[in-house]
Amino acid sequence: MKIVFVSAEVVPYSKTGGLGDVSSAIPKAMEQLGHNVTIFTPLYKSIDVEKHNVKLVKKDLLAPIGDKVEVVFDLYETTHPDSEISVYFIKNSYLYREGIYVGEDGEDYPDSPIRFISFMKSIFTSLELLEAPVDIFHVNDWHSGLLPFFLKTEYGEHNLFKNAKSVFTIHNIGYQGVYGFETIEDANIPEIYLNDDLLGFHGLINFMKAGIVYTDVLTTVSSKYAEEIQTKQFGYGLEKIIKTRKDDLYGIVHGIDLAVWNPKTDELIPKNYDSRSLKGKEECKNYLQDKLNLDVSDKPLLGIITRLATQKGLDLILKKFTKIMDLGVQFVLLGTGDPKLEKSFKNKEKKYPQDCSINIEFDNRLAHQIEAGSDFFLMPSKYEPCGLNQLYSMLYGAVPIVRKTGGLADTVQDYNEETGEGSGFVFERINADKFFEAVERAVNLYKQDKAKFTKLQKSIMNKDFSWKNAAKQWQKVYLKAKLRKIKNII
Ligand code: ADP
């Protein structure tokens, strides 16, 4: 199949979270199954075009935003590492900015709707230029949520796209792209679509809802999250709309791109290791402690790498911070986001200079080093669509401590000290005491029975994290979409 993969962030060019990682890994996995995949993503100022060998294809192309407005853009291309996938970059004055989603003030760009519409429309123009027919558009999250709509309406009869189908993946329903209709005035979308049955939701344009309504097949990133988003607690208002598409909804858990995340070969960590011997991991721990000016000691080291957002359940950690440190542990955090959370964590650091390191920055190298140097990895998320860090941490032998939600529920089973079964420490309710109990159980195992702890570490490192399984499921989903009869929505 000819697959066009569309995403606002793609590793190694741009990343704010898991979307960047999987927008690189899914296309690679599909190419390995023999499909013809191209990726489209915006060119941001932060992308190092020289390093990634990004070359101009054509200047001054025109993307029709509405019938009266066109946006001029330049098309760039490179080849994705370890593959033959062409990655196309759209550069225009809306997209070419430092931040991916937010400006320097940390606020959403006010022109985000037209910004991402310009991205989607430029993709169609580029494909016309390349004369590239398409079987599947795989679009991701709200930023490309309107693409299935354009595909069924404006481009529905187009020679190159008339047989194309769309797959829309919800990576996080907490971010929907909701704006007043006036923000998309330039797009000149006919009045008949701008109502709550189609593109609108409570009188506003909702990009994610548009994707859910117009896509041929809908997916999300774990089976549990596929169930959760049909409920009031997790659906963020879209639960009823999702239920209307439940027969077309699939939950597929991510794998790990082993070319990027793998303690055996990782070039960003000081010593490579695997489950046969954890000596290298110990070196990584000591290196991390030294690098972050912590005591180089045998205390259990709890790591966390995260967007500092309410979703991640960080308040549970803050509430129990003193009690956790009193267990005699070290704590290392890497994250950026909500300024209040940044400040709260930074304040905690002062009291424990030898045992606590709070790093408010985005640093991919340090992220790899924390995975390698930690004994435990914390993810007390309120909701977690899939989560990648718990997978990375298992592979790196950092035992995950997680709440039972979304992808965390699908991928981490609670450890049973009697049988030795399980892959982490799991708590169920969003409750600080329950979270602390899980941390305490974990730390006790480390301190009281190191042999059992090491056995647990080794067993989680040996799990199958490859994309093979997920790739086969994606292939089925693409086929389902391809074989779908065209159903006109309006
Ligand atoms: P989400 O997509 O909700 O942010 P995931 O667990 O799916 O959460 O993915 C997070 C990804 O982003 C991981 O690869 C993680 O290492 C990375 N990450 C998050 N914050 C940082 C940071 N401050 N520095 C480096 N990498 C980060």
Side-chain angles (χ1 to χ4, degrees), residues 324-490:
I324 292 173
M325 295 310 289
D326 285 349
L327 292 172
V329 303
Q330 292 187 324
F331 180 86
V332 171
L333 176 141
L334 171 63
T336 55
D338 181 346
K340 269 205 215 118
L341 284 168
E342 288 182 354
K343 209 165 143 209
S344 307
F345 276 105
K346 214 54 201 160
N347 280 338
K348 298 285 181 202
E349 189 181 45
K350 291 180 199 133
K351 207 172 145 196
Y352 307 96
Q354 277 101 32
D355 290 319
C356 174
S357 169
I358 305 296
N359 305 275
I360 305 297
E361 59 192 328
F362 197 95
D363 182 342
N364 185 45
R365 179 180 293 270
L366 183 58
H368 283 246
Q369 292 170 350
I370 292 175
E371 293 287 5
S374 299
D375 300 299
F376 296 100
F377 196 91
L378 300 178
M379 289 180 84
S381 308
K382 301 218 155 109
Y383 73 92
E384 193 62 68
C386 177
L388 287 169
N389 275 319
Q390 83 279 15
L391 304 179
Y392 300 154
S393 70
M394 284 193 270
L395 187 62
Y396 281 71
V399 178
I401 301 173
V402 307
R403 195 176 91 74
K404 192 172 183 176
T405 183
L408 300 173
D410 280 8
T411 57
V412 184
Q413 285 74 44
D414 193 33
Y415 179 67
N416 180 326
E417 216 175 314
E418 301 293 303
T419 62
E421 280 166 14
S423 45
F425 292 86
V426 181
F427 67 103
E428 297 205 12
R429 283 199 357 246
I430 303 175
N431 174 294
D433 290 329
K434 295 286 166 206
F435 164 61
F436 179 71
E437 274 170 34
V439 175
E440 198 175 27
R441 272 199 298 137
V443 171
N444 282 345
L445 181 73
Y446 180 99
K447 291 201 165 177
Q448 292 163 11
D449 201 333
K450 201 66 185 282
K452 268 193 185 164
F453 173 73
T454 307
K455 202 167 165 209
L456 170 59
Q457 272 184 308
K458 289 187 171 181
S459 81
I460 57 178
M461 291 174 75
N462 283 328
K463 282 170 156 278
D464 179 6
F465 296 104
S466 72
W467 270 94
K468 269 191 216 123
N469 191 18
K472 286 201 186 117
Q473 294 180 59
W474 281 114
Q475 181 165 265
K476 272 195 199 150
V477 159
Y478 290 163
L479 264 175
K480 280 239 181 290
K482 192 170 156 58
L483 298 175
R484 234 177 107 94
K485 298 259 179 314
I486 294 180
K487 205 163 74 179
N488 277 338
I489 295 210
I490 193 163

Side-chain angles (χ1 to χ4, degrees), residues 221-281:
V221 292
S222 65
S223 308
K224 182 76 177 170
Y225 196 57
E227 285 167 24
E228 287 176 345
I229 54 177
Q230 297 180 52
T231 66
K232 201 164 183 271
Q233 189 188 351
F234 295 97
Y236 277 77
L238 293 182
E239 57 277 3
K240 287 196 184 128
I241 314 281
I242 290 176
K243 271 200 178 141
T244 65
R245 299 293 322 258
K246 75 173 190 307
D247 293 342
D248 298 314
L249 172 64
Y250 300 86
I252 305 176
V253 168
H254 301 313
I256 295 181
D257 186 343
L258 296 169
V260 181
W261 292 92
N262 187 350
K264 272 187 215 173
T265 51
D266 194 333
E267 287 171 3
L268 302 178
I269 61 176
K271 184 85 190 168
N272 292 120
Y273 61 94
D274 61 29
S275 64
R276 282 173 305 178
S277 161
L278 296 179
K279 275 226 147 22
K281 184 166 174 69

